[in-house]
Amino acid sequence: MNKETTQLVETLLASPQKAVIIGHKNPDGDAIGSCLGLSFFLKKIGHSAAVVMPNDFPDFLKWLPGVEEVVIYEKETEKSTQLIEEASLIFTLDFNSLERVGELQQILESADAKFIMIDHHQQPADYAVATFSDVTMSSTSEMVYHFMDALGHSEILSEAIAINLYTGIMTDTGSFRFSSTSPTTHRVAAKLIEAGADSALINQNVYDTNSPDRMKLLGLALSNLHILPEYRTAYITMSQKELDAHNFKKGDTEGFVNYALSLQGVVFAVIFIENKQESIVKISFRSKGEFSVNAFARNHYSGGGHNNAAGGKSSQSLNKTISEFISILPRYKDELAHA
């Protein structure tokens, strides 16, 4: 954080606050880890803190310290609303537009509390009184560590804080293999390990708890892999019928798109996931090198994210969405050829 933002946050935290910490819809490891890590930190320095998520999150994150206290808006609407209405401070983590919280958006827009944003996505909205935004950071969880450090409290790292922040960093960096992983990221991870984050156990809890249904779904996803060598692109499709046949649960398709990106010669990978309940096709984009999937998602699919990892959606059918995607690629042929 810069000096001005740090001083403002110090002023806001100078007296006990009723803080609510919000993550984005369909929370991932970074959203959950950063929010829980921050909640433990705020409690340690004398504030009350509650974590509210718009909807539920994958089972492979439900072992994290403090997870039993997370309030899910979809399940506990009245409690979530009351917490937000009574809050004096609202932290928004791992998103930078209130559109990312689904039905919580209207409640947050009506809140009387002051907002503090901590996020690493591009083009932040201007709704917070204090904004800590850095698109070069590996994860929001890493940013929470720097937030603590800027306030002069990095020495009070607890095991619970360390486990949550390490999990967020690990998942958002693809186990430290994405280009956003910096030397500083590794230094922060080392400090978290020293504070009690068992890296081997965290890795096991996140990645080695697959159900038979999820493994079979992965096999199906790989059989649905299509390669377009002229565009250095690969994509995977998942229909609602295929998901239902494998007892799909939230988080089951996490990381599938990375298998497409791992192909030799591929620099652009996409997964299209049909969601009949919301009448949309959810899309995840990944890239290597200079090709910006953030720009691609913003230009064509009402989405965004990072240069090499972004998301979007389509209101068309799965087949029409795929056809449209293929029709767009020729515009990017030169850019993909030199990515």
Side-chain angles (χ1 to χ4, degrees):
M1 287 194 299
N2 61 36
K3 186 176 180 181
E4 181 181 356
T5 303
T6 300
Q7 290 175 339
L8 176 55
V9 172
E10 287 175 337
T11 300
L12 292 171
L13 296 177
S15 58
Q17 301 292 324
K18 294 185 71 172
V20 172
I21 306 165
I22 310 288
H24 56 74
K25 189 176 180 181
N26 300 320
D28 55 9
D30 191 26
I32 298 294
S34 61
C35 287
L36 285 173
L38 180 63
S39 72
F40 280 109
F41 167 67
L42 291 175
K43 290 173 184 176
K44 283 183 75 71
I45 61 172
H47 308 283
S48 69
V51 176
V52 175
M53 292 290 162
N55 59 347
D56 208 353
F57 48 94
D59 287 346
F60 63 77
L61 297 171
K62 292 187 175 178
W63 59 274
L64 286 166
V67 77
E68 68 283 351
E69 296 181 10
V70 175
V71 181
I72 307 296
Y73 173 76
E74 279 189 347
K75 297 179 179 178
E76 300 178 88
T77 303
E78 187 175 330
K79 182 177 181 180
S80 301
T81 303
Q82 183 177 353
L83 285 168
I84 292 168
E85 289 176 346
E86 294 177 352
S88 56
L89 274 182
I90 295 176
F91 288 81
T92 62
L93 269 59
D94 204 34
F95 68 94
N96 58 23
S97 169
L98 295 181
E99 295 177 355
R100 291 292 316 280
V101 297
E103 294 179 7
L104 266 178
Q105 179 177 353
Q106 186 174 355
I107 298 169
L108 290 177
E109 289 175 341
S110 301
D112 294 326
K114 292 182 171 65
F115 284 75
I116 297 175
M117 179 201 299
I118 305 176
D119 180 65
H120 66 138
H121 295 87
Q122 297 181 356
Q123 298 175 277
D126 184 23
Y127 61 79
V129 297
T131 297
F132 178 22
S133 174
D134 190 338
V135 299
T136 69
M137 287 282 181
S138 71
S139 57
T140 301
S141 293
E142 181 181 342
M143 295 182 72
V144 170
Y145 174 85
H146 294 302
F147 178 84
M148 295 169 54
D149 191 40
L151 296 176
H153 292 300
S154 60
E155 80 287 347
I156 67 169
L157 269 175
S158 66
E159 182 177 315
I161 295 172
I163 291 171
N164 277 294
L165 297 187
Y166 187 95
T167 301
I169 294 170
M170 183 189 75
T171 53
D172 233 36
T173 59
S175 296
F176 304 93
R177 64 189 177 90
F178 295 158
S179 60
S180 59
T181 306
S182 68
T184 301
T185 306
H186 284 291
R187 293 187 189 101
V188 171
K191 291 182 181 297
L192 298 175
I193 292 171
E194 289 170 351
D198 185 331
S199 59
L201 183 60
I202 291 171
N203 198 292
Q204 177 182 317
N205 286 345
V206 171
Y207 296 119
D208 297 340
T209 56
N210 292 311
S211 67
D213 281 329
R214 183 179 189 271
M215 293 303 288
K216 292 176 182 177
L217 188 64
L218 172 59
L220 179 61
L222 295 178
S223 72
N224 290 350
L225 174 67
H226 301 267
I227 305 168
L228 304 172
E230 65 271 36
Y231 303 115
R232 304 180 73 190
T233 295
Y235 68 89
I236 293 170
T237 65
M238 300 297 309
S239 71
Q240 186 69 64
K241 184 177 179 180
E242 289 170 328
L243 297 174
D244 292 343
H246 291 79
N247 301 310
F248 172 76
K249 293 194 297 183
K250 189 177 293 294
D252 277 355
T253 57
E254 186 83 19
F256 282 12
V257 67
N258 295 324
Y259 287 92
L261 192 63
S262 71
L263 289 167
Q264 186 175 10
V266 167
V267 298
F268 184 26
V270 188
I271 186 168
F272 300 93
I273 302 173
E274 187 176 35
N275 186 325
K276 291 279 193 182
Q277 184 177 357
E278 297 184 22
S279 300
I280 61 170
V281 176
K282 295 176 62 180
I283 314 171
S284 292
F285 304 97
R286 298 292 184 271
S287 68
K288 298 173 185 172
E290 298 301 316
F291 185 72
S292 173
V293 292
N294 172 61
F296 189 92
R298 287 182 181 276
N299 289 339
H300 302 290
Y301 292 102
S302 303
H306 307 287
N307 280 336
N308 297 118
K313 62 184 178 181
S314 169
S315 59
Q316 299 189 86
S317 70
L318 180 60
N319 287 337
K320 286 185 178 180
T321 298
I322 295 164
S323 296
E324 179 189 60
F325 169 74
I326 294 172
S327 74
I328 291 170
L329 287 176
R331 306 179 210 173
Y332 295 88
K333 186 172 183 177
D334 290 343
E335 193 174 342
L336 289 163
H338 298 95

